[in-house]
Amino acid sequence: MIRDTIVILDFGSQYTQLITRVVREQSVHSLQLPWSADQDEIRNIHPSGIILSGGPSSIYSAGAPKFPDFLFSLDIPILGICYGMQALADTLSGEVTPSTTREYGYALLTVELENPLLPGGEHKVWMSHGDQITKLPEGFVSLASTANTPIAAMGDLNRHLYGVQFHPEVKHTAIGTEIIRNFLFNICQVKADWTPTSIIADSVAEIREKVNGSKVLAAVSGGVDSSVAAALVHQAVGDQLEAVFVDTGLLRKNEAADVKTALGDTLDINLHTVPAADLFFADLAGITNPEEKRKRIGSRFIRVFEDQAGALGHPQYLVQGTIYPDVVESAAPDRSAAETIKTHHNVGGLPEMMDFQLVEPLRYLFKDEVRKVGLELGLPESLIWRQPFPGPGLAIRCLGEVTRERIDRLREADAIFLETLADAELLHYQKGPQGAGSSQAFAVLLPVKTVGVMGDQRTYQDVIALRAVTTDDFMTAEWSRLPPELLAGTANRIVNEVPGINRVVYDITSKPPATIEWE
C-alpha cells in the first residue's frame, strides 16, 4: 500500500534521527536518506514533503553539501532546519554569512508574521549555529527572529517552502512538536495512518508476496527484535516458519522457559530449542579475554545454527531482526552496507555460504515502534519490555574465566537485582517517572575476591557489581540514582542468598567515559 511519506534528507546532523522519530510519533511514515540520495530513489517514494536536516558544515565552505535542486520539480512542501534552511536559501540566491555572535543553546523566538508553520507569540527554542541568513531569497519573507538572528525563520507561503534556524526536533524547543505537526498536517496535508495495525498489515502482505510457499527460518534470542520479527513473519506465513532458539547456557534466569512460553505456547510458533550449553562452556574454558569470548561464542553459534538449518532442510529464507537505526547508521558513507547480514546480536554474522534470502520485517522501524507492533501481535509485556541483553550473554558480564559455577552465581545475583527493581517499579525507564527508573540494569561478577565476615568466620569470596543506567538512545547514559535503601536491600539479599558472594558494589560511572557493559 502506498502511504503518505515524508523524506528526511540528512546533511550530517546529530539530530537527524530525532527528526525522523518525531515525524513517526505523529503516526506519519518517514524515511531518512543521505542528502546525496539518487533523485530516482526519492521520486519513486512519491514523498508528500521533504525535511532538510541540520549539519556541521558552512554552506560557503569548499565541499559543503548542497541542496539537491531537483527537489523543486517535485512541487511538494519543503522544510529546512538549521543548515537545511541555509542550503535552501543558498540555492535560491539568498545570502548566508558568518554570524557576528554565535548562538548555542536557548534563545527567545519572536514570531512576527502569521503563518501556517509557527504558532504566534514568543517561545524558547534551541539554537546551534555559527552562520545566518542575511538576505532572503526572492519570494521569501521573514517569519520570526531572535536577539542575535534577525531571520530565525523564513517562508515562501505560495510555494510552501519554509526554513527555521533553530531545532524543532529536540525537546528543548517547547513548540517543536507543534511545528512539525503544522508542517505535516497543515502544509503537507498528510494522513496519520502509520500505526501498529497498518504496519502489520503492510508487512504481512509484503512477506507473503516475497516468500510465497517457501519455508522460512528465524534465529530467536529472547530479545525484543528477534522475537517481534519472528512473530510478524509467523502472522504472515504460519507453519512455514521454523524458529530456532539456541540455549547457550549463558542466558538469564528462566530465559529459555520464557521464550518457549512467549513464542511456542502463546503464539504457537514452531520453536526448536537447541540445548548447547556443554559446547559453549567447553569453548570458553580458560578464556578470559572478552574479545576472544565473543569470537568463540559467535563461532560456536554459527556451527550450531548451521546444523539446525540442515536438520530443517535448509530453508530458503532467513528472518533477521534488523531495525531502522541499523539501516540508517550503515547508510554512510557506503549505503550498500545496509544490505549485508547484520551481526547476530553482536556475536558474529551468519556466514555467506549459508546462502539465505533475507526477510527483514522490522527494517524500517525504530525500537519503540517494534515494541508497539509486538504488543499488537500479542507478545507478552514481559518480553516486549525485556532488558537489553548482549549476544554473548552472561559470558561478558562474568569478568575473567567463564565456568558453570561462576555463571550460576552471576545468574542468581542478576535475577535478584532485576526482581528488586521490578517490585519497586523502577525496572523500565520508559514507564517510570523521568529519571527514576532504569533503561538497563544488570549484575557483573568481578574476577577478584575480598575478605568478609559471616557468622564470626572469615570469608574470602567473590564480588558482584550492580549496574543501572537511564538513557533515551543508549548512545549516552547516566547512572541511575536508585534509592539507597533499595541498593542496601539488594546487596543484603545477594550476600545471603547467593553462595560465594560476600560483597556488592554499585557502578556510578556514566557513558561516556564508561560503556554500559563492562566488557
Short mmCIF file of all heavy atoms in Angstrom, two decimals, residues 421-450:
data_model
loop_
_atom_site.label_atom_id
_atom_site.label_comp_id
_atom_site.label_asym_id
_atom_site.label_seq_id
_atom_site.Cartn_x
_atom_site.Cartn_y
_atom_site.Cartn_z
N LEU A 421 14.19 -4.38 41.42
CA LEU A 421 13.81 -3.19 40.64
C LEU A 421 12.38 -3.30 40.13
O LEU A 421 11.63 -2.32 40.15
CB LEU A 421 14.77 -3.02 39.46
CG LEU A 421 16.19 -2.55 39.80
CD1 LEU A 421 17.07 -2.62 38.57
CD2 LEU A 421 16.18 -1.14 40.37
N ALA A 422 12.00 -4.49 39.68
CA ALA A 422 10.63 -4.68 39.18
C ALA A 422 9.61 -4.47 40.29
O ALA A 422 8.57 -3.83 40.09
CB ALA A 422 10.49 -6.08 38.58
N ASP A 423 9.89 -5.00 41.48
CA ASP A 423 8.97 -4.83 42.61
C ASP A 423 8.82 -3.37 42.99
O ASP A 423 7.75 -2.94 43.43
CB ASP A 423 9.48 -5.63 43.82
CG ASP A 423 9.32 -7.13 43.63
OD1 ASP A 423 8.58 -7.54 42.72
OD2 ASP A 423 9.95 -7.88 44.39
N ALA A 424 9.88 -2.59 42.79
CA ALA A 424 9.84 -1.16 43.12
C ALA A 424 9.35 -0.31 41.93
O ALA A 424 9.34 0.92 42.01
CB ALA A 424 11.23 -0.69 43.55
N GLU A 425 8.95 -0.98 40.83
CA GLU A 425 8.50 -0.31 39.61
C GLU A 425 9.56 0.65 39.07
O GLU A 425 9.28 1.74 38.61
CB GLU A 425 7.18 0.43 39.83
CG GLU A 425 6.04 -0.51 40.19
CD GLU A 425 4.70 0.19 40.30
OE1 GLU A 425 4.68 1.44 40.31
OE2 GLU A 425 3.67 -0.51 40.36
N LEU A 426 10.82 0.22 39.14
CA LEU A 426 11.93 1.03 38.65
C LEU A 426 12.72 0.32 37.56
O LEU A 426 13.82 0.73 37.21
CB LEU A 426 12.89 1.35 39.81
CG LEU A 426 12.34 2.25 40.91
CD1 LEU A 426 13.36 2.38 42.05
CD2 LEU A 426 12.01 3.62 40.35
N LEU A 427 12.13 -0.72 36.99
CA LEU A 427 12.88 -1.51 36.01
C LEU A 427 12.82 -0.93 34.62
O LEU A 427 13.77 -1.02 33.86
CB LEU A 427 12.33 -2.94 35.99
CG LEU A 427 13.13 -3.95 35.16
CD1 LEU A 427 14.58 -4.00 35.60
CD2 LEU A 427 12.50 -5.33 35.28
N HIS A 428 11.70 -0.28 34.25
CA HIS A 428 11.54 0.23 32.90
C HIS A 428 11.53 1.74 32.92
O HIS A 428 10.55 2.35 33.31
CB HIS A 428 10.25 -0.29 32.27
CG HIS A 428 10.15 -1.78 32.31
ND1 HIS A 428 11.16 -2.60 31.87
CD2 HIS A 428 9.16 -2.60 32.74
CE1 HIS A 428 10.79 -3.86 32.03
NE2 HIS A 428 9.59 -3.88 32.55
N TYR A 429 12.61 2.31 32.48
CA TYR A 429 12.73 3.76 32.47
C TYR A 429 11.63 4.41 31.66
O TYR A 429 11.09 5.45 32.02
CB TYR A 429 14.09 4.13 31.88
CG TYR A 429 14.35 5.60 31.70
CD1 TYR A 429 14.47 6.44 32.79
CD2 TYR A 429 14.49 6.13 30.44
CE1 TYR A 429 14.73 7.78 32.62
CE2 TYR A 429 14.75 7.47 30.26
CZ TYR A 429 14.87 8.30 31.34
OH TYR A 429 15.13 9.63 31.18
N GLN A 430 11.22 3.77 30.57
CA GLN A 430 10.22 4.36 29.69
C GLN A 430 8.87 4.49 30.40
O GLN A 430 8.06 5.31 30.05
CB GLN A 430 10.03 3.50 28.44
CG GLN A 430 11.29 3.41 27.58
CD GLN A 430 12.15 2.22 27.95
OE1 GLN A 430 12.13 1.76 29.09
NE2 GLN A 430 12.91 1.73 27.00
N LYS A 431 8.61 3.64 31.38
CA LYS A 431 7.31 3.64 32.03
C LYS A 431 7.30 4.41 33.35
O LYS A 431 6.24 4.73 33.86
CB LYS A 431 6.87 2.19 32.29
CG LYS A 431 6.58 1.39 31.04
CD LYS A 431 6.00 0.04 31.41
CE LYS A 431 5.51 -0.68 30.18
NZ LYS A 431 4.85 -1.95 30.51
N GLY A 432 8.46 4.64 33.91
CA GLY A 432 8.51 5.27 35.22
C GLY A 432 8.66 6.77 35.14
O GLY A 432 8.75 7.35 34.06
N PRO A 433 8.70 7.45 36.30
CA PRO A 433 8.92 8.90 36.33
C PRO A 433 10.28 9.23 35.71
O PRO A 433 11.21 8.43 35.77
CB PRO A 433 8.90 9.22 37.84
CG PRO A 433 8.23 8.04 38.48
CD PRO A 433 8.55 6.86 37.63
N GLN A 434 10.38 10.40 35.11
CA GLN A 434 11.61 10.81 34.44
C GLN A 434 12.79 10.72 35.41
O GLN A 434 12.79 11.31 36.48
CB GLN A 434 11.48 12.25 33.94
CG GLN A 434 12.67 12.73 33.14
CD GLN A 434 12.72 12.11 31.75
OE1 GLN A 434 11.77 11.50 31.34
NE2 GLN A 434 13.82 12.28 31.06
N GLY A 435 13.79 9.94 35.03
CA GLY A 435 15.00 9.85 35.84
C GLY A 435 14.90 8.90 37.00
O GLY A 435 15.88 8.66 37.69
N ALA A 436 13.72 8.30 37.25
CA ALA A 436 13.57 7.48 38.44
C ALA A 436 13.93 6.02 38.20
O ALA A 436 14.40 5.34 39.10
CB ALA A 436 12.13 7.57 38.94
N GLY A 437 13.67 5.52 37.02
CA GLY A 437 13.88 4.11 36.76
C GLY A 437 15.14 3.85 35.96
O GLY A 437 16.01 4.70 35.82
N SER A 438 15.22 2.62 35.41
CA SER A 438 16.43 2.22 34.71
C SER A 438 16.09 1.68 33.33
O SER A 438 15.21 0.83 33.19
CB SER A 438 17.18 1.15 35.50
OG SER A 438 17.58 1.65 36.75
N SER A 439 16.79 2.18 32.31
CA SER A 439 16.65 1.66 30.96
C SER A 439 17.29 0.29 30.84
O SER A 439 16.84 -0.55 30.08
CB SER A 439 17.30 2.60 29.96
OG SER A 439 16.87 3.92 30.14
N GLN A 440 18.38 0.10 31.58
CA GLN A 440 19.08 -1.17 31.56
C GLN A 440 19.72 -1.39 32.93
O GLN A 440 20.30 -0.46 33.51
CB GLN A 440 20.15 -1.20 30.47
CG GLN A 440 20.80 -2.56 30.30
CD GLN A 440 21.69 -2.64 29.07
OE1 GLN A 440 21.82 -1.67 28.34
NE2 GLN A 440 22.29 -3.78 28.83
N ALA A 441 19.59 -2.60 33.44
CA ALA A 441 20.15 -2.92 34.75
C ALA A 441 20.62 -4.37 34.75
O ALA A 441 19.96 -5.23 34.16
CB ALA A 441 19.13 -2.69 35.85
N PHE A 442 21.73 -4.63 35.41
CA PHE A 442 22.27 -5.99 35.44
C PHE A 442 23.36 -6.10 36.50
O PHE A 442 23.83 -5.09 37.05
CB PHE A 442 22.83 -6.40 34.08
CG PHE A 442 23.85 -5.45 33.50
CD1 PHE A 442 25.21 -5.60 33.77
CD2 PHE A 442 23.45 -4.40 32.69
CE1 PHE A 442 26.15 -4.73 33.22
CE2 PHE A 442 24.38 -3.52 32.14
CZ PHE A 442 25.74 -3.68 32.42
N ALA A 443 23.76 -7.33 36.76
CA ALA A 443 24.85 -7.61 37.69
C ALA A 443 26.08 -8.05 36.91
O ALA A 443 25.98 -8.62 35.82
CB ALA A 443 24.44 -8.68 38.69
N VAL A 444 27.25 -7.79 37.48
CA VAL A 444 28.53 -8.19 36.89
C VAL A 444 29.31 -8.94 37.96
O VAL A 444 29.40 -8.48 39.11
CB VAL A 444 29.34 -6.97 36.42
CG1 VAL A 444 30.69 -7.39 35.85
CG2 VAL A 444 28.56 -6.15 35.41
N LEU A 445 29.87 -10.09 37.60
CA LEU A 445 30.71 -10.84 38.53
C LEU A 445 32.16 -10.46 38.27
O LEU A 445 32.67 -10.63 37.16
CB LEU A 445 30.51 -12.34 38.34
CG LEU A 445 31.31 -13.25 39.28
CD1 LEU A 445 30.89 -13.03 40.73
CD2 LEU A 445 31.12 -14.72 38.90
N LEU A 446 32.83 -9.93 39.31
CA LEU A 446 34.20 -9.45 39.14
C LEU A 446 35.21 -10.57 39.35
O LEU A 446 34.96 -11.51 40.12
CB LEU A 446 34.47 -8.31 40.12
CG LEU A 446 33.52 -7.12 40.06
CD1 LEU A 446 34.02 -5.99 40.97
CD2 LEU A 446 33.37 -6.61 38.63
N PRO A 447 36.38 -10.46 38.73
CA PRO A 447 37.40 -11.50 38.84
C PRO A 447 38.32 -11.27 40.04
O PRO A 447 39.54 -11.46 39.97
CB PRO A 447 38.17 -11.37 37.52
CG PRO A 447 38.11 -9.90 37.23
CD PRO A 447 36.77 -9.44 37.74
N VAL A 448 37.74 -10.81 41.14
CA VAL A 448 38.51 -10.57 42.37
C VAL A 448 37.75 -11.14 43.55
O VAL A 448 36.52 -11.32 43.49
CB VAL A 448 38.75 -9.06 42.61
CG1 VAL A 448 39.62 -8.47 41.50
CG2 VAL A 448 37.44 -8.31 42.71
N LYS A 449 38.47 -11.45 44.60
CA LYS A 449 37.86 -11.90 45.84
C LYS A 449 38.22 -10.91 46.95
O LYS A 449 39.26 -10.25 46.89
CB LYS A 449 38.35 -13.31 46.22
CG LYS A 449 37.90 -14.39 45.24
CD LYS A 449 38.38 -15.76 45.70
CE LYS A 449 37.97 -16.85 44.72
NZ LYS A 449 36.51 -17.05 44.71
N THR A 450 37.33 -10.80 47.92
CA THR A 450 37.59 -9.90 49.05
C THR A 450 37.31 -10.62 50.36
O THR A 450 36.56 -11.60 50.42
CB THR A 450 36.70 -8.65 48.98
OG1 THR A 450 35.33 -9.02 49.13
CG2 THR A 450 36.89 -7.90 47.68
#
